[in-house]
Amino acid sequence: MPDISKLLSAKSVAVVGASPDNKRLRGILFEVLCRGDYAGRIYPVTPSHDEVMGHKAYKTVADIPETVDLAVLAIPANAVVAELERCGAAGVKAAAIVTSGFAEQAGSEGEAMQRDLSAVIAKYDMAVTGPNSLGFVNFAEELSPTFSPAIARASLPLLPEWHEEGGRVAVIAQSGAIGFGIYDRGRLREIPFRYVITTGNEAGLRAFDIVDYLLDDGETEVFVLFLEDIRDGAQFRRVAAKALAAGKPILAVKIGRSEAAQESAASHTGAMVGSDRVNRAVMEAHGVTICEDLDQLVDYTAAFYHNRTKLPRGRRIGISAGTGGGGGWIADQCDVFGLEVPVLDDAARKVIDAVLPEYGSSRNPVDGTAQAIGDIGNAALAHMTSQAENIDATIMICSARAAYRFEKERDSFLHLGRDGDKPTVTWTYTWPTQETIAFFASAGIPLFTDTANAAGALAALATYRE
């Protein structure tokens, strides 16, 4: 296996094809790479300019006054193989190839070029993503060789402000657009990503090569995968078993159920997707949580991240609400996902009844009514519900429209979320603000707007523990 640290934690980067025009993809990529606080050295390589965006430019990689760790290739497809050969000869040990026009063009010269590309990669033992990728980001080190608009036009800081550890969730995607789409939606949910890595056609590194490396690295807690194919079944089984043994969840979307999806994958990355039924059976047998759409994938990722150290002991759910209708709706969704909503034990009901008005209910769902929520707060009622002996996890229902209403409960939310010994998720029946989402995330409680995902995430956590 090549040295993947030279790719993901490169101390120096050459951008071959760098452009000063930030309206072109090559210029956007270089601008994004230079924009943050990346501590390494950046070298534009182009015969057309003496400098690019204030950086001295070099005619070739060999002209750079040091041996760089990583070369980013943003040049025409017919020039990539020869350029990677020059990089290898110059001692470069890693490359991210964003150029398209290879094996995704079935029956064309692109397939032959990709075979030649793989031969160069093997010859120099290089850690290479692509071709036909969208690059990657290491958020902890602010290394971002990509032109994805999710990064180039980000409206929020790349990491949540409440998270001080450099991110703990890694996205590895064979589709560049979807990989950064997962990040874009996940960032709005305040998920702390450490990496987004897009592998494209996988002429060099494959998705599970990277998962394996990151498991050894130890800085990733949850893995999120978008797969068009699984190229090496034996490797998948070994790496998935390794992740399961380490308690590092893998959540995955695997396309290819339909004939149309299979053809799309073949034309996109040259992938041969294999039997959907077999893929799903093997993934489920190795503890991989399969997701069906982007919002479900993001919501489940938040649930796994925040509750990874306190998986539910069973499938008994306590529902804490200030709305009887909302409690019943969530109870129906729990039934859909094979979860139980038992009547709370007598001891827990006695504690809850002491704070409820006569028209409230402590059965389960617990209907605190607006009065009890106003008196003791959402977090306190949810904590009382979670303390029932016959409850394994809690869904709290609230209106998360105004963050200021929760600030007075901050200590109670931290007690429920970060310090609690049972998983908790929240469903909001009004649309949340970014401030509110950040508040809940900082307390260790994922906030959902979808009833099915709130129940389904807890079912997924229970299945993973089993």
Side-chain angles (χ1 to χ4, degrees):
M1 184 61 60
D3 185 356
I4 296 177
S5 69
K6 296 293 185 182
L7 175 79
L8 299 181
S9 297
K11 305 305 180 189
S12 52
V13 183
V15 180
V16 182
S19 169
D21 185 353
N22 64 4
K23 293 182 174 57
R24 303 180 66 185
L25 295 182
R26 295 183 291 131
I28 294 170
L29 187 151
F30 193 79
E31 183 180 56
V32 169
L33 181 61
C34 296
R35 183 187 298 163
D37 291 329
Y38 170 59
R41 297 164 300 284
I42 302 171
Y43 301 100
V45 176
T46 171
S48 306
H49 304 279
D50 292 331
E51 70 171 41
V52 177
M53 298 182 190
H55 290 72
K56 174 179 169 58
Y58 297 86
K59 303 298 183 185
T60 70
V61 170
D63 294 334
I64 297 172
E66 68 168 306
T67 300
V68 297
D69 289 335
L70 168 64
V72 181
L73 273 55
I75 55 178
N78 59 10
V80 167
V81 174
E83 184 59 41
L84 192 67
E85 173 74 40
R86 286 190 284 271
C87 289
V92 179
K93 301 305 294 182
I97 305 173
V98 301
T99 307
S100 301
F102 290 83
E104 72 273 17
Q105 300 183 93
S108 72
E109 62 178 324
E111 291 181 301
M113 288 195 300
Q114 184 156 322
R115 287 193 295 271
D116 293 342
L117 193 61
S118 294
V120 173
I121 292 168
K123 175 181 176 181
Y124 292 104
D125 193 26
M126 301 176 78
V128 177
T129 57
N132 189 29
S133 79
L134 200 51
F136 69 91
V137 178
N138 176 338
F139 294 96
E141 299 179 21
E142 298 201 33
L143 171 59
S144 52
T146 182
F147 53 82
S148 168
I151 305 300
R153 297 185 177 275
S155 59
L156 295 170
L158 296 184
L159 274 172
E161 294 180 1
W162 60 268
H163 197 274
E164 300 175 352
E165 300 176 348
R168 284 288 184 263
V169 176
V171 176
I172 300 100
Q174 291 170 337
S175 164
I178 299 300
F180 280 99
I182 294 167
Y183 165 77
D184 194 44
R185 295 206 189 191
R187 177 61 187 88
L188 290 172
R189 271 109 156 153
E190 296 285 320
I191 294 174
F193 291 94
R194 190 172 189 87
Y195 296 101
V196 174
I197 303 161
T198 68
T199 59
N201 293 10
E202 298 187 345
L205 293 172
R206 297 173 177 177
F208 286 97
D209 293 329
I210 295 171
V211 175
D212 198 13
Y213 169 79
L214 294 181
L215 283 169
D216 290 338
D217 175 66
E219 297 297 333
T220 298
E221 299 294 341
V222 179
F223 292 87
V224 183
L225 308 183
F226 182 86
L227 303 171
E228 300 188 8
D229 77 335
I230 297 174
R231 299 176 190 266
D232 186 336
Q235 181 194 42
F236 161 75
R237 291 191 293 272
R238 178 181 62 80
V239 175
K242 180 177 177 179
L244 189 60
K248 302 296 179 74
I250 297 175
L251 296 88
V253 169
K254 171 67 179 71
I255 68 169
R257 180 181 301 175
S258 67
E259 182 179 347
Q262 293 173 11
E263 292 177 355
S264 174
S267 65
H268 179 212
T269 63
M272 300 297 291
V273 297
S275 165
D276 179 69
R277 186 174 66 174
V278 171
N279 283 330
R280 285 171 176 266
V282 175
M283 291 170 79
E284 289 173 351
H286 287 79
V288 175
T289 299
I290 300 172
C291 296
E292 302 298 341
D293 65 51
L294 184 50
D295 283 325
Q296 184 190 62
L297 179 64
V298 170
D299 280 348
Y300 282 23
T301 297
F304 270 89
Y305 173 75
H306 288 295
N307 295 296
R308 64 193 184 278
T309 61
K310 48 182 177 181
L311 298 171
R313 295 170 295 179
R315 294 177 174 268
R316 301 167 300 177
I317 308 302
I319 300 171
S320 169
T323 159
W329 199 355
I330 288 290
D332 281 347
Q333 291 290 357
C334 287
D335 184 68
V336 169
F337 286 94
L339 300 170
E340 304 172 45
V341 183
V343 175
L344 300 187
D345 62 61
D346 291 342
R349 293 190 67 182
K350 183 177 180 180
V351 172
I352 295 170
D353 282 337
V355 300
L356 295 186
E358 291 182 359
Y359 47 89
S361 172
S362 62
R363 285 178 56 83
N364 195 22
V366 174
D367 181 5
T369 75
Q371 180 175 323
I373 296 300
D375 289 343
I376 67 169
N378 287 282
L381 186 63
H383 183 262
M384 291 176 182
T385 304
S386 73
Q387 293 307 294
E389 290 295 328
N390 61 337
I391 291 302
D392 302 307
T394 307
I395 299 176
M396 180 175 69
I397 301 172
C398 68
S399 170
R401 190 68 176 171
Y404 73 88
R405 293 184 177 178
F406 301 107
E407 284 295 337
K408 63 182 180 181
E409 299 182 62
R410 179 172 288 277
D411 290 344
S412 295
F413 272 103
L414 289 170
H415 185 54
L416 176 67
R418 286 193 180 183
D419 301 333
D421 59 356
K422 296 178 182 178
T424 300
V425 302
T426 300
W427 172 58
T428 172
Y429 50 85
T430 55
W431 202 254
T433 64
Q434 195 62 44
E435 184 182 6
T436 305
I437 298 170
F439 175 89
F440 276 85
S442 67
I445 303 172
L447 180 64
F448 300 155
T449 60
D450 186 286
T451 56
N453 288 353
L458 291 180
L461 287 169
T463 298
Y464 181 72
R465 185 182 191 278
E466 290 163 3

